[in-house]
Structure formats: structure tokens, C-alpha cells
Amino acid sequence: MNTIPDETVFQGADVAGGGRFTQPKRAGVMPTKTLGTLGTTSAIGLGLMGMSDLYGPSDRAESIATIGAALDAGITLLDTGDFYGTGHNEMLLGDALHGHDRDRVQISVKFGSLRGPDASWLGQDNSPVAVKNSLAYTLQRLGTDHIDVYRPSRLDPVVPIEDTVGAIAEMIQAGYVRHVGLSEVGADTIRRAHAVHPVSDLQIEYSLISRGLEGEILDTCRELGIGVTAYGVLSRGLISGHWSTDRQGANDFRAHSPRFSGENLDRNLALVERLRSVATELGVSVAQVAIAWVDAQGDDIVPLVGARSRERLAESLDAVDVELSAEQLAAIESAVPKDAAAGDRYDAMQMTALDSER
Ligand SMILES: NC(=O)c1ccc[n+]([C@@H]2O[C@H](COP(=O)([O-])OP(=O)(O)OC[C@H]3O[C@@H](n4cnc5c(N)ncnc54)[C@H](OP(=O)(O)O)[C@@H]3O)[C@@H](O)[C@H]2O)c1
């Protein structure tokens, strides 16, 4: 990975106003990382969810331009789900990829979450029949003949993971899928899945304020050679440095998220101000320091950023040029200690669906 330009000096979080401010600007080749069986991928991936769902209104033209800008910048890993806008996100990606070389892109798709026509959440179906049926529609919506990584979005409480992975393995044999992925599952499920077919990567929320990956789950992934795609690296915008109390509308996931509610929000935004002090000393933005911290946790951990505009993407891209020393990492963790966040990362009902939290 490239480093912060030499002239940028970090003088410690306690040096009020003493740092020299240099904003990194992306100019070079996109660094790469390795994600299990998927192999080489861009050091940062783009998550498309917010372009269709959960974060309020989005702009179609800007979404397509943002995906194009990501590809131009060397991002190869694009993450979507068939239930993001009930197919909308996949159709958007299919349109955005028009005219691009399909083989230079790695498409990661989640399936299994069931939605109603009113956008309600109806449960999970990871049965072998659902795997094949969902995949057939996904291929049509994306206008492609294969998916690079196919993963159940959550563990289905009634379908053994072996059956789900077995069905994906059949689709790999048939040439429709290249790799098996997992999402928000714990160590036992990872082992059971991997015993059926090698897993490329676990997708899981991971940020300065969501550290559940660390310990048993990450140790298991590393033991088995499984990579991690980290989502929510900005905690859905909360630790981006751009969040304000008047941001979320009624249809926004964040309107119902414990971390964005009442006193919890005030306490979490106070943490962001502590992070801002460190970022200022480093000469980078709050979002960049939050992304760079995740990036620094391993060459097998790829941050997925949820940028919905070229402006946000540009800010995120600069984070891959920020290399943090041990002293700087310690200053960041001292500003935002592990478990400092107020409130869970999902509401109580959604927390119970997370195998990774058991
Ligand atoms: N496996 C799972 O269970 C799961 C769950 C959730 C997401 N994901 C995947 O992970 C991806 C990323 O997750 P996420 O959207 O929650 O991540 P995130 O990057 O933590 O949050 C994205 C939000 O942060 C805001 N933001 C502010 N400054 C930004 C900046 N400089 N760069 C990027 N975003 C900035 C954006 O808001 P504005 O655009 O409004 O400024 C956007 O709404 C999703 O798109 C999806 O593909 C997976």
C-alpha cells in the first residue's frame, strides 16, 4: 500500500492545532488485497445498497456515475443484494456496467431475504430451491452469465447451512457462480459451510464502533483462509463526520437504529468529534480515518464503502493512501475505544437474526 506523503506529519492527538494538514489525493494505481478463494481484489469495494434502499431517496444518474467513477479508479469489487429495492439495485448495476468489461469486475450478490411489495421484510429463505430460483432472476437482472461471489444474507433458522452451500456449490459446478460467500454468521457456521465448499469471504459489519468480528470469528476466518468484506465501516454514515441530527427521514433504516436514536446519537456524535481531532492531526477527513483504520486491520479485510455520490466516493478513495503507524492506530483507538458506541447496531428483532452475535 502507498503511504501518506512524507510531508504529512502526525504529532499525536493531544497536540491541539499542532499538526500539518495535507489531504491525500488519489493518483496512483488502486492497491489490491486477497479475499480467500476469490483471490486478488481492489483494496476497497463499493457497496450499492443505499443507491436503491434503506437510506432515503437516491439519484439514479448520480448512482450510475458513481459506479462508473469507482471502476475508473480501479475498484473491482461491487456488492449488491437481490432484495435491495427488490431487484432495483441489480438492474441499476446491470445498467451501470453496460459498456464496461464484465471480466474486470467482481460482482458479489446476497440473496435469501424476503420482501413484500410494500418493502416489508418477510423473513429468510436459503433453501436449495430458493438458491437456484433467486440466482436465475439475478442473472437476468444483471445481464450476466455468472456471479463472482454468491452469499446468503443471513442464516436461515430452518435450513441447514450445509444445504444452502451445497446448492451454491451445484451452481458453481454448472458455471453460474464462481465463489461461495457468507454474511453475518459466527464461527461454527463458517466451519460447517467451509466443510461443504471453500468459502471466499465473510461479509460482516466492522468499524471502529462495531468490533464483533475480532476474536473467534476473525481467528476462524484466518485459520481457514477466508477473507472479510467489512460493511458499515462508517457505521452507515454515523462516523463519517457528515452526520447531523436532522438527517434521517421516516423510510431510512437509521430512523429505527438504536445508534441513531435519542441520547445514543448524542453520545455517538461526541465520539465522532474525538475522532475528528485525530483526523485533523493526520490531515485527513473523519471518513478517511475511519476507513483507513479498517483497511489497516489486515490484507484479508476489504472495506466496502457505501458511497452514493462521486463526491463521497472521492473522499473514500483517498483513504486507501492513508497508511497508519502503530502510534496513529493507538491514538485512533484511544479516541474511540472498543465498545464505546451507545446502542446496538441493529434493533432488537434484527439482532436476534444475526448468527454472528450468538
Ligand atoms: N451483509 C450485510 O448484512 C450488509 C448490511 C448492510 C450493508 N451491506 C453492504 O455494505 C455496503 C456498505 O454498507 P453501508 O452503506 O452501511 O456503509 P457505510 O459506508 O458505513 O455507510 C454509507 C453511508 O455513509 C454515508 N457517507 C458519508 N460520508 C461518506 C463517504 N465519504 N463515503 C461513503 N459514504 C459516506 C453515505 O451517506 P450519503 O450518501 O447520504 O452521504 C451512506 O449513506 C452496502 O452498500 C451493502 O452493499 C451489507
Side-chain angles (χ1 to χ4, degrees), residues 47 55 79 154 183 203 234 236 247 306 308 312 315-316:
Y55 293 161
D79 184 73
R154 293 285 181 270
S183 171
Q203 192 170 111
L234 298 178
R236 302 169 183 272
R247 276 281 309 266
R308 305 193 299 164
R312 296 289 193 237
E315 182 181 9
S316 301

Side-chain angles (χ1 to χ4, degrees), residues 197-227:
H197 191 282
V199 172
S200 67
D201 64 290
L202 169 69
Q203 192 170 111
I204 190 165
E205 184 164 0
Y206 186 51
S207 73
L208 270 166
I209 61 168
S210 301
R211 310 266 300 260
L213 167 69
E214 294 172 4
E216 191 187 13
I217 297 179
L218 185 56
D219 292 348
T220 303
C221 288
R222 288 186 166 155
E223 179 195 322
L224 300 176
I226 297 170

Side-chain angles (χ1 to χ4, degrees), residues 47-49 55 79 84 110 154 183-184 203 231-237 240 242 247 254 287 304-308 312 315-316 346:
L48 310 183
M49 179 183 78
Y55 293 161
D79 184 73
Y84 292 160
K110 290 180 290 301
R154 293 285 181 270
S183 171
E184 288 289 1
Q203 192 170 111
Y231 77 83
V233 294
L234 298 178
S235 196
R236 302 169 183 272
S240 66
H242 300 293
R247 276 281 309 266
R254 295 165 292 204
L304 279 180
V305 295
R308 305 193 299 164
R312 296 289 193 237
E315 182 181 9
S316 301
Y346 285 96

